[in-house]
Amino acid sequence: MRINFLGTCSGTEPMPGRHHTSITVEVGDRMFWFDAGEGCGHTAHVMGLDLAATEAVFISHTHMDHIGGLPHLIWTLRKLAGRVEGFGARLGGRQIPLYIPRPEVFDAVNTLLANGKGLSPAFTITARPCQDGWLYEQDGVRVRALHNLHLGPDEPFRSFSYRLEADGRGIVFSGDVKSVADFEPLIDPCDVLMMETGHHRVEEVCEYLRGSGHRFGQLVFVHHGRAILADPAGELAKARSVLGNKVHIAADRQSVMI
Ligand SMILES: [Zn+2]
Ligand SMILES: [Zn+2]
């Protein structure tokens, strides 16, 4: 399995060298997307990732720093299918599920996309609502969703955290959360825990996790807040003083094998 960090920034003003949140997980010849922040399709393509491997897309919530790149990602798939020999054939008329907490937002994306050439016959994208439990299970890969409190108690089913399992491994993506407690049921055990810092201090997250007894292999910070954006080395040192070398700060266009 390989994790690709396309964008690692939270919803700040534009930051040099950083784009908003998007991560893909490759399992064999299939690629799963988690959030689709600005430019994610472009970044994935220039990193050399195979967009024709796109199997499913999971959106944590519909804030712009998690979904701003979705129209362009779909447009890019359509463009590659029309321009790159064999790309459309490899998509093979695939139905790509888009799990999204507010499916009506996809209507707006479709309206925008219809403004161009229309959809490609090489693939279709179907919006599906998120709910707690296993959303996707196919050929040895499964993805579970759990609602969180990022948008407050009045809208608990508008924001989700995710867990992917494949090849005997588990990967957890917090999305945006009120606290680690929101998505604790997804954690144990996992190989990689991806936690956002746009709303949290790294040392508090590390201390909470140390005290909680949760079993995770590596902790990777994503969706960086201002402290990491200003001083990644200093924040990493703080985090490692609590949890040691199992903590990492993801950078844009970084890939890791697990
Ligand atoms: Zn965010
Ligand atoms: Zn958000």
Side-chain angles (χ1 to χ4, degrees):
M1 268 200 289
R2 185 165 71 164
I3 303 176
N4 306 295
F5 300 96
L6 310 179
T8 60
C9 197
S10 64
T12 65
E13 71 278 22
M15 292 281 173
R18 303 269 189 192
H19 286 99
H20 290 158
T21 298
S22 182
I23 294 154
T24 67
V25 178
E26 291 174 277
V27 183
D29 58 1
R30 290 182 286 169
M31 187 154 75
F32 300 85
W33 295 72
F34 292 89
D35 282 342
E38 56 178 349
C40 59
H42 177 272
T43 304
H45 183 66
V46 298
M47 282 175 72
L49 303 182
D50 180 12
L51 273 70
T54 295
E55 184 76 15
V57 180
F58 301 87
I59 300 294
S60 63
H61 64 299
T62 53
H63 281 167
M64 190 59 81
D65 54 318
H66 300 258
I67 201 173
L70 182 63
H72 185 260
L73 169 60
I74 298 169
W75 183 91
T76 302
L77 286 168
R78 194 167 78 189
K79 182 64 70 172
L80 290 169
R83 292 278 176 181
V84 175
E85 196 172 338
F87 189 96
R90 283 190 295 121
L91 279 167
R94 191 177 308 160
Q95 281 222 357
I96 299 171
L98 167 72
Y99 295 93
I100 184 167
R102 295 181 60 193
E104 71 273 21
V105 172
F106 188 56
D107 295 341
V109 171
N110 266 330
T111 303
L112 180 60
L113 288 165
N115 214 7
K117 225 176 74 179
L119 287 172
S120 165
F123 65 96
T124 54
I125 298 208
T126 312
R128 298 185 184 175
C130 292
Q131 58 196 29
D132 287 355
W134 295 103
L135 286 184
Y136 174 97
E137 287 194 75
Q138 212 165 301
D139 301 324
V141 179
R142 60 182 191 164
V143 176
R144 180 180 162 193
L146 180 65
H147 73 275
N148 62 53
L149 298 177
H150 170 52
L151 299 175
D154 296 336
E155 296 191 273
F157 295 96
R158 295 286 174 93
S159 182
F160 285 79
S161 306
Y162 290 109
R163 174 185 175 93
L164 179 144
E165 292 181 0
D167 298 342
R169 305 206 170 237
I171 296 171
V172 175
F173 171 50
S174 66
D176 285 6
V177 287
K178 181 164 176 249
S179 72
V180 175
D182 286 10
F183 66 105
E184 276 180 312
L186 297 182
I187 295 177
D188 291 308
C190 69
D191 296 277
V192 178
L193 172 56
M194 296 185 281
M195 171 65 189
E196 66 114 344
T197 68
H199 308 89
H200 309 281
R201 293 159 59 96
V202 296
E203 59 272 39
E204 288 175 5
V205 170
C206 290
E207 274 160 20
Y208 183 90
L209 284 169
R210 184 172 64 180
S212 70
H214 285 303
R215 292 170 292 138
F216 55 93
Q218 307 292 318
L219 171 64
V220 182
F221 286 124
V222 295
H223 188 267
H224 302 321
R226 291 184 183 281
I228 283 181
L229 293 168
D231 181 15
E235 293 298 297
L236 183 61
K238 278 188 208 169
R240 287 190 166 172
S241 74
V242 180
L243 283 177
N245 290 340
K246 71 197 293 189
V247 192
H248 311 272
I249 292 177
D252 283 36
R253 296 175 299 285
Q254 185 179 32
S255 296
V256 292
M257 300 293 299
I258 68 157

